Amino acid sequence: MTGTTTGADWRAWQESWDRQQEWYMPDREERFRVMLDMVEAFAGPAPRVLDLACGTGSITDRLLTRFPNARSTGVDLDPALLAIAGGTFEGDDRVTFVTADLKDPDWVDLLPHDTYDAVLTATALHWLHLDPLTTLYGRIAGIVRDGGVFMNADHMVDDSTPRINEAEAVLRRARRERAREDGALDWAEWWELAGRDPVLAEPTARRFEIYGEHADGDTPPLDWHVRALRDSGFSEARGVWGSPSDGMVLALK
């Protein structure tokens, strides 16, 4: 996915990341749609948004497509995914990217704004264990304006329903295998491809120095997120989207 003039076809890498993520989450676009519906409901068509653990900027991409007058700050620590994000949005003054570790208590000091209309994140915070996630929710509550919202779409498994969980997992594995037969890449294969690219090889190597092969975080059920967000200072919190394995919680400041 390299080009002859810019050194990399960033849009192609962006789309490749999306396809790889959709292999795990076929309903990924549906959760983004609901997320942006709620942004519009609470912040209107020109929101200031924090794209938390932004990766390649998938949320920012959809945000600006739907709301051209929106502004986005993307925060992440992954140098390879930030390289793709920075290349994709190069020259777009609506977008700012910040390199920060969300486990660092001072990460909010690096942001260009004190408050945001909406803080959005998807399929990222399961990298954290419960204690640092609880702390992070408190930090987020401090930067969402009054009347603003936080939304987290992620793996939210309900361990009280093991038979339902297993039936869904069997179906999901079968669908993935069919997609693999059609050429879909999984997470490891995608990173192997990035590591061979002359532009992304160095940031990919640094990314694995930071994270290792994969983080060992937690995936609490949706009701845990609701309680934690209310305890962190949000006035209301509830689920606004769900699948058998994933959910999205919305918290209102």
Side-chain angles (χ1 to χ4, degrees), residues 55-250:
T56 65
S58 296
I59 291 175
T60 292
D61 194 22
R62 287 149 182 82
L63 173 77
L64 298 180
T65 297
R66 178 160 167 177
F67 307 120
N69 293 321
R71 303 188 74 83
S72 179
T73 302
V75 178
D76 210 300
L77 186 62
D78 189 313
L81 298 185
L82 282 173
I84 296 171
T88 300
F89 297 99
E90 184 175 7
D92 191 333
D93 62 7
R94 298 171 297 176
V95 184
T96 303
F97 289 105
V98 174
T99 301
D101 185 348
L102 297 181
K103 291 185 287 187
D104 182 340
D106 298 324
W107 69 269
V108 295
D109 297 335
L110 302 175
L111 301 177
H113 306 290
D114 292 333
T115 62
Y116 288 84
D117 300 312
V119 177
L120 311 177
T121 189
T123 327
L125 301 189
H126 63 273
W127 287 64
L128 298 177
H129 288 292
L130 297 187
D131 285 347
L133 180 56
T134 301
T135 299
L136 178 63
Y137 278 173
R139 294 274 188 273
I140 292 167
I143 57 174
V144 175
R145 67 161 173 81
D146 288 346
V149 293
F150 166 68
M151 280 176 276
N152 176 19
D154 210 339
H155 310 313
M156 298 182 184
V157 179
D158 187 342
D159 291 332
S160 70
T161 59
R163 290 192 297 161
I164 294 173
N165 297 345
E166 179 57 25
E168 187 277 333
V170 169
L171 177 63
R172 178 163 25 96
R173 287 194 293 268
R175 286 177 172 171
R176 286 181 185 174
E177 286 306 311
R178 291 195 294 270
R180 286 293 295 274
E181 293 172 0
D182 293 333
L185 297 177
D186 67 14
W187 189 89
E189 290 167 332
W190 190 92
W191 280 109
E192 182 180 355
L193 188 66
R196 295 200 306 264
D197 183 85
V199 176
L200 286 176
E202 190 273 334
T204 295
R206 285 193 285 120
R207 164 284 164 230
F208 280 97
E209 290 175 1
I210 294 169
Y211 292 108
E213 288 300 319
H214 203 283
D216 181 25
D218 292 316
T219 56
L222 190 143
D223 59 0
W224 180 93
H225 294 272
V226 169
R227 290 193 303 271
L229 287 162
R230 288 176 175 168
D231 290 344
S232 296
F234 287 93
S235 60
E236 298 179 15
R238 54 161 286 195
V240 291
W241 177 89
S243 75
S245 60
D246 289 23
M248 179 158 63
V249 62
L250 182 152

